[in-house]
Amino acid sequence: MEKGTLVEFRVQGDRRLGVVDRPDGKTRWFVVDERGQSHSLAPRQITYTVNGQTYKSSEITKFLEQVQPYLDPSSLEVAWELLVEDGETVSPAEMANLLFSESEPAPCYAAHCLLSDDKLYFKQKADAYEPRTAAQVAERKHQIEVEALKAKGQQEFLTRVEQALKGEAVEWQRHDRQRLEALEKYAALLADIVRMGVSYDTLPRAYPPPAPVLETMNMLGRPATPQGAFQLLIDLGWWSPYENLFLRRSSIPVQFPSKVLEVAQQRLDSPTTDLDVNRLDLTHLKVYTIDDESTTEIDDGLSWESLSDGRERLWTHIADPTRWLEPEDDLDLEARKRGSTVYLPTGMVPMFPEILATGPMSLVQGRICCALSFGIILDSNGAVEDYSIHASLIKPTYRLTYEDVDEMLELGVQAEPEIAAIATWAKKRKSWRYNQGAISINMPEAMIKVKDDEISIDILDDSSSRQLVAEMMILTGEVAARYGQTHNIPLPFRGQPQPELPPEEELIQLPAGFVRSCAMRRCMPKSEMSITPVRHAGLGLDTYTQATSPIRRYSDLLTHFQLKAHLRGEVLPFSAEQLKEVMMTVSTITQELTMVERQTNRYWALEYLRRNPEQIWPVTVLMWLREDSNLALILLEDLGLQLPMSFKRSVVLGEQLLVKVSIADPQKDMIQFQEIMYQEAQSVTN
């Protein structure tokens, strides 16, 4: 190659011109660019040779100025239209003649630049260029448009992200939402840290980011990890720092489909014909509904009446949601998919749309309501002597809280003797069940509420009013199950195998109270569901089903469907096999719900403790988790929380001591306590 020849080569992909200076060995050449830098090039690295004259490196800038006026990419379209029909290949020199009617070095090099940069009209073939077909050009134009739209969308998304990060209000677009929803799914994998014990370090390897997530995180310069996605969603204001990842990782639907909401509104506006045309009118009875103050789904009420023969009848009135739906309709299938209302510290996820659940389905004070009423007469010991079940009409008289009823019982309010009578029967009933072998395990239960970022933890008091309601609900479950057993109706019966409790001499050696109850609780087998009656050892009943929360538990709704059809003399909506299949599905769902509720409560318990690092808590050592490594389960008595603690000294079960939190990380499900000596605690309080 002649000294002074002007050649083109690439440096890290960038086009560059240089002048040949001298050989470098047998095959390479030293080339000097316009900056005076020398490059050793092999022939294959030279992408174009400017023919016709020789140059000095100082003349490269002037040559590029001569090339510049010819660099109009739109001119290639004219050339393509002339060449596409015959499909002839063309060299840069020929293209210069065609476009500019010139063959000087500058226009020829300009033609080379245009052709080599072109991605639309021509493709390289050896040292020449071939026009693409009309179909190929059309497809390329479409791809370019798509890429341009994508690039525009990305830029607009970045702009909105910047606004959101500054705390400005942002109206997210549909494509933005798709990106953010992909991030949500990926960030929710953090729940697996708790569920599966996966460590933070292995999570990205165990769950590599999907392509949309990787693209978004790279575009924003964020780490493409579940933690990175979680933090981004918080920074954008899309998620709260306390987002419930357990709920998001589950299959539990949080929102109702629009179709289901439409059906609910239709039922509200135009109720379907009531199949129970002969409802028993019980509107003359005084009906008490007793719930927590925050309860909005009121599904049970109580009555008492004195009969002419001197006996007394208890009534439990259960809400009748089946009045508003049919088996297998949209509302029923949606409730089946949900399995139960989910109760979380931050609120509830209902089984039915709220416009129905808290309205016409509920037993609302002062309103005539459809119900399934159980009239029950007990003998003097508390056993069921007689009963009847009716589709009914009632008119709830009082909406009471547990605190209201406790106060009425304590003060002996004479204006409401029915409450005292129901309480008396509840005590007899409880005594009868324990004579039948019922097992009492009393452990404190924490009730955690989160409102406006404030966390409160109260111990659920096992008060007289709660015991009263619990006994009446258990009684109703027994009666419903006995009716099913008598009439051979498949129902979702609930049972519990007889537990193998520790021997009496072994239990006596354990400290009385919570430690002993904890030891007994460990021996209690899980309850079981069956389409045929089975004994419930824990409740002391030979047969039992749940029937008192049909707005909130799907298994109770199944009981209502079956009982009401039989009361009307109709074919049962579910055969034994159909019921068994539905029960299996619902059982799987409710197990997941229970896990989500448990994990969510634990998260907020740890968050509460994290916020109170200086608080000193009295605790009781309940049981050993790993005695060889001094890991025990402790009870925080003021909160009703049971959590693990590793001790640095020997302790005994039942020992009471003081602790404070040393580490609490709810997202990583980590909690560590340190023991505080009484002297140290006194100095802190003083």
Side-chain angles (χ1 to χ4, degrees):
M1 191 178 295
E2 186 179 354
K3 179 181 171 74
T5 301
L6 187 60
V7 296
E8 180 193 82
F9 59 100
R10 301 271 178 168
V11 176
Q12 295 181 339
D14 291 335
R15 190 190 302 276
R16 185 149 328 163
L17 289 177
V19 175
V20 174
D21 184 31
R22 66 185 189 279
D24 179 15
K26 292 183 179 180
T27 58
R28 303 179 70 87
W29 296 87
F30 281 114
V31 174
V32 181
D33 64 21
E34 69 268 29
R35 303 172 189 173
Q37 294 178 338
S38 182
H39 303 266
S40 175
L41 302 178
R44 59 182 173 79
Q45 293 176 276
I46 296 173
T47 52
Y48 184 79
T49 301
V50 178
N51 296 314
Q53 65 185 79
T54 58
Y55 295 83
K56 296 178 182 177
S57 60
S58 58
E59 297 173 330
I60 293 175
T61 302
K62 182 179 179 182
F63 176 78
L64 288 173
E65 291 172 355
Q66 294 170 351
V67 170
Q68 192 62 40
Y70 298 99
L71 296 177
D72 179 10
S74 64
S75 62
L76 282 180
E77 184 175 5
V78 176
W80 175 78
E81 289 174 348
L82 293 172
L83 297 170
V84 67
E85 188 171 343
D86 295 332
E88 297 178 14
T89 59
V90 61
S91 67
E94 290 169 335
M95 180 61 76
N97 269 317
L98 184 63
L99 291 177
F100 317 121
S101 300
E102 295 183 43
S103 56
E104 296 300 314
C108 287
Y109 180 64
H112 159 74
C113 292
L114 290 171
L115 287 167
S116 60
D117 286 345
D118 176 57
K119 306 296 181 189
L120 182 57
Y121 296 107
F122 293 89
K123 58 183 176 182
Q124 191 167 4
K125 196 170 185 180
D127 293 332
Y129 292 84
E130 180 180 69
R132 300 180 190 274
T133 66
Q136 289 173 332
V137 170
E139 177 60 27
R140 289 248 166 191
K141 284 184 176 179
H142 174 69
Q143 290 176 355
I144 290 170
E145 288 174 4
V146 169
E147 290 170 3
L149 284 173
K150 182 179 179 181
K152 181 184 177 186
Q154 288 179 342
Q155 187 54 52
E156 290 174 348
F157 173 69
L158 286 172
T159 301
R160 286 188 285 273
V161 166
E162 290 174 5
Q163 292 173 331
L165 292 175
K166 292 176 184 175
E168 300 175 13
V170 173
E171 185 175 342
W172 298 105
Q173 303 301 304
R174 181 172 61 87
H175 291 299
D176 299 342
R177 293 181 180 279
Q178 291 174 349
R179 285 183 182 276
L180 295 169
E181 285 166 6
L183 290 173
E184 286 182 329
K185 288 182 181 178
Y186 191 53
L189 294 173
L190 289 173
D192 287 357
I193 292 173
V194 176
R195 187 171 63 86
M196 298 173 62
V198 178
S199 73
Y200 263 77
D201 295 335
T202 62
L203 201 58
R205 293 195 297 275
Y207 300 101
V213 170
L214 185 61
E215 180 185 81
T216 301
M217 300 305 281
N218 287 344
M219 189 166 52
L220 297 174
R222 299 265 185 147
T225 62
Q227 304 98 299
F230 180 77
Q231 189 59 51
L232 174 60
L233 291 167
I234 293 171
D235 293 345
L236 294 176
W238 185 261
W239 270 7
S240 153
Y242 310 109
E243 194 70 28
N244 193 330
L245 300 179
F246 310 112
L247 186 60
R248 288 192 171 274
R249 192 80 174 107
S250 74
S251 59
I252 303 165
V254 177
Q255 303 296 328
F256 284 96
S258 56
K259 175 66 185 303
V260 173
L261 294 175
E262 288 170 12
V263 171
Q265 189 63 52
Q266 289 168 6
R267 300 287 165 86
L268 195 63
D269 297 338
S270 306
T272 54
T273 303
D274 187 2
L275 299 177
D276 297 288
V277 293
N278 296 316
R279 287 184 180 272
L280 181 64
D281 189 343
L282 297 175
T283 54
H284 62 283
L285 290 176
K286 190 182 288 186
V287 178
Y288 305 91
T289 64
I290 307 170
D291 286 283
D292 286 309
E293 188 173 359
S294 59
T295 302
T296 55
E297 300 170 332
I298 312 296
D299 51 16
D300 57 81
L302 302 173
S303 298
W304 170 90
E305 65 174 338
S306 179
L307 303 178
S308 58
D309 60 5
R311 294 186 299 171
E312 299 174 17
R313 180 186 284 134
L314 295 165
W315 286 96
T316 57
H317 311 286
I318 310 302
D320 185 9
T322 64
R323 161 70 183 88
W324 301 90
L325 62 149
E326 298 175 3
E328 307 289 329
D329 70 4
D330 290 314
L331 291 171
D332 175 50
L333 292 177
E334 182 66 23
R336 188 182 303 176
K337 186 193 302 181
R338 292 165 177 262
S340 169
T341 293
V342 188
Y343 294 96
L344 304 173
T346 48
M348 69 172 188
V349 181
M351 188 172 80
F352 286 111
E354 289 190 67
I355 57 171
L356 289 179
T358 62
M361 285 183 177
S362 281
L363 304 183
V364 180
Q365 177 181 316
R367 183 187 300 172
I368 294 178
C369 304
C370 294
L372 188 64
S373 294
F374 297 74
I376 307 166
I377 297 174
L378 301 177
D379 66 18
S380 58
N381 295 318
V384 175
E385 182 178 288
D386 192 15
Y387 69 87
S388 59
I389 306 175
H390 311 271
S392 64
L393 292 172
I394 65 168
K395 188 176 182 180
T397 315
Y398 296 114
R399 161 79 160 93
L400 302 175
T401 65
Y402 290 109
E403 291 75 18
D404 293 334
V405 175
D406 283 330
E407 188 174 349
M408 292 167 70
L409 292 172
E410 188 176 339
L411 297 176
V413 177
Q414 294 184 356
E416 305 298 334
E418 294 87 350
I419 289 288
I422 296 170
T424 299
W425 281 113
K427 289 177 182 176
K428 287 186 179 181
R429 177 69 185 169
K430 185 175 183 179
S431 176
W432 176 84
R433 284 197 305 108
Y434 285 119
N435 287 334
Q436 305 305 307
I439 300 169
S440 176
I441 298 177
N442 296 314
M443 295 294 294
E445 184 179 348
M447 185 167 62
I448 307 174
K449 298 288 184 185
V450 180
K451 188 175 181 181
D452 299 328
D453 197 39
E454 291 295 319
I455 309 170
S456 64
I457 302 182
D458 297 304
I459 295 178
L460 202 59
D461 184 24
D462 189 23
S463 65
S464 298
S465 61
R466 290 186 185 275
Q467 291 181 33
L468 178 157
V469 172
E471 285 301 325
M472 291 300 101
M473 297 306 103
I474 293 169
L475 172 60
T476 305
E478 183 194 5
V479 167
R482 284 177 61 170
Y483 184 89
Q485 184 176 30
T486 300
H487 298 282
N488 199 28
I489 304 171
L491 293 176
F493 294 97
R494 297 195 75 90
Q496 187 178 43
Q498 191 67 34
E500 294 185 13
L501 296 176
E504 189 67 28
E505 57 272 17
E506 188 177 319
L507 279 175
I508 291 176
Q509 292 178 10
L510 294 173
F514 296 141
V515 175
R516 199 174 293 176
S517 293
C518 188
M520 293 174 64
R521 182 182 63 186
R522 292 184 67 190
C523 300
M524 296 299 291
K526 288 185 178 180
S527 62
E528 302 170 346
M529 291 186 74
S530 170
I531 58 172
T532 55
V534 59
R535 177 170 171 77
H536 197 298
L539 296 178
L541 299 176
D542 290 332
T543 182
Y544 176 69
T545 186
Q546 290 180 312
T548 58
S549 295
I551 305 177
R552 300 185 274 186
R553 280 195 304 253
Y554 191 79
S555 62
D556 299 44
L557 191 72
L558 286 174
T559 300
H560 277 234
F561 274 135
Q562 298 289 82
L563 291 181
K564 286 186 63 186
H566 189 271
L567 289 169
R568 290 193 297 264
E570 296 176 358
V571 175
L572 299 178
F574 298 96
S575 68
E577 283 306 310
Q578 288 172 329
L579 187 69
K580 188 175 182 179
E581 186 178 335
V582 173
M583 283 166 51
M584 286 177 63
T585 301
V586 173
S587 180
T588 301
I589 295 168
T590 52
Q591 285 175 15
E592 184 178 23
L593 296 181
T594 301
M595 184 62 69
V596 168
E597 288 177 345
R598 185 179 299 141
Q599 290 170 329
T600 305
N601 275 297
R602 181 178 169 95
Y603 174 94
W604 284 107
L606 298 193
E607 176 61 19
Y608 180 87
L609 293 172
R610 187 191 69 81
R611 296 183 186 187
N612 294 275
E614 298 305 316
Q615 180 71 42
I616 295 173
W617 306 102
V619 304
T620 300
V621 183
L622 280 183
M623 58 174 278
W624 290 112
L625 297 174
R626 288 200 303 270
E627 189 172 4
D628 58 344
S629 55
N630 271 4
L631 181 65
L633 186 71
I634 61 170
L635 171 66
L636 279 72
E637 297 173 6
D638 294 344
L639 302 177
L641 298 176
Q642 298 173 40
L643 294 165
M645 178 173 175
S646 185
F647 288 93
K648 296 180 179 178
R649 65 176 180 87
S650 295
V651 294
V652 295
L653 297 184
E655 186 171 343
Q656 296 182 319
L657 43 95
L658 300 175
V659 303
K660 64 188 292 189
V661 174
S662 55
I663 297 176
D665 188 333
Q667 196 179 97
K668 293 183 179 179
D669 193 42
M670 287 177 56
I671 182 72
Q672 291 181 19
F673 296 97
Q674 63 184 66
E675 185 178 0
I676 303 297
M677 296 297 112
Y678 282 94
Q679 298 85 345
E680 184 181 348
Q682 287 175 344
S683 66
V684 170
T685 53
N686 292 335

